[in-house]
């Protein structure tokens, strides 16, 4: 299984939202075609056809658990996982 597939599986499982590496979280979002803009510690993602804007920031080297959950729900809402 490739690295990105492991990241996707870990994020989608919902079992370890508080233990997702921030760089892996960024790779996950970028893999699905989002554009990234960085302003300070805020990483801002947009994508054509997606109304919501994703804004995440690290907690040390990890992603914030509630943000992982929000992004997962957004991906499910827009059925983005089938377009990766």
């Amino acid at each position: 299984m490739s690295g990105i597939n492991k990241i996707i599986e870990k994020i989608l499982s919902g079992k370890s939202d508080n233990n997702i590496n921030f760089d892996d979280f960024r790779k996950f979002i970028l893999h699905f075609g989002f554009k990234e803009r960085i302003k300070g510690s805020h990483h801002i993602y947009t994508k054509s056809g997606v109304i919501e804007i994703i804004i995440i920031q690290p907690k040390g080297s990890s992603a914030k658990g509630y943000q992982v959950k929000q992004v997962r729900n957004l991906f499910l809402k827009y059925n983005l996982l089938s377009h990766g």
Side-chain angles (χ1 to χ4, degrees), residues 1-80:
M1 184 181 292
S2 76
I4 190 65
N5 288 337
K6 287 181 183 178
I7 296 167
I8 292 169
E9 184 178 304
K10 188 172 183 180
I11 290 173
L12 292 183
S13 75
K15 295 178 182 175
S16 57
D17 288 351
N18 291 316
N19 295 315
I20 302 293
N21 178 278
F22 186 76
D23 288 334
D24 288 347
F25 193 36
R26 287 182 59 236
K27 288 177 192 172
F28 171 80
I29 296 169
L30 292 170
H31 177 75
F32 289 95
F34 282 81
K35 303 292 183 224
E36 179 181 52
R37 192 175 88 231
I38 301 171
K39 187 169 184 177
S41 66
H42 292 78
H43 295 249
I44 304 157
Y45 300 88
T46 57
K47 180 178 172 108
S48 177
V50 177
I51 298 168
E52 292 89 341
I53 296 172
I54 297 171
I55 302 173
I56 61 172
Q57 61 267 60
K59 180 179 181 182
S61 64
S62 298
K64 295 181 179 181
Y66 77 92
Q67 292 176 342
V68 173
K69 182 178 180 181
Q70 288 175 343
V71 169
R72 182 175 51 249
N73 289 338
L74 180 76
F75 273 59
L76 294 172
K77 174 182 175 181
Y78 284 93
N79 196 25
L80 296 174

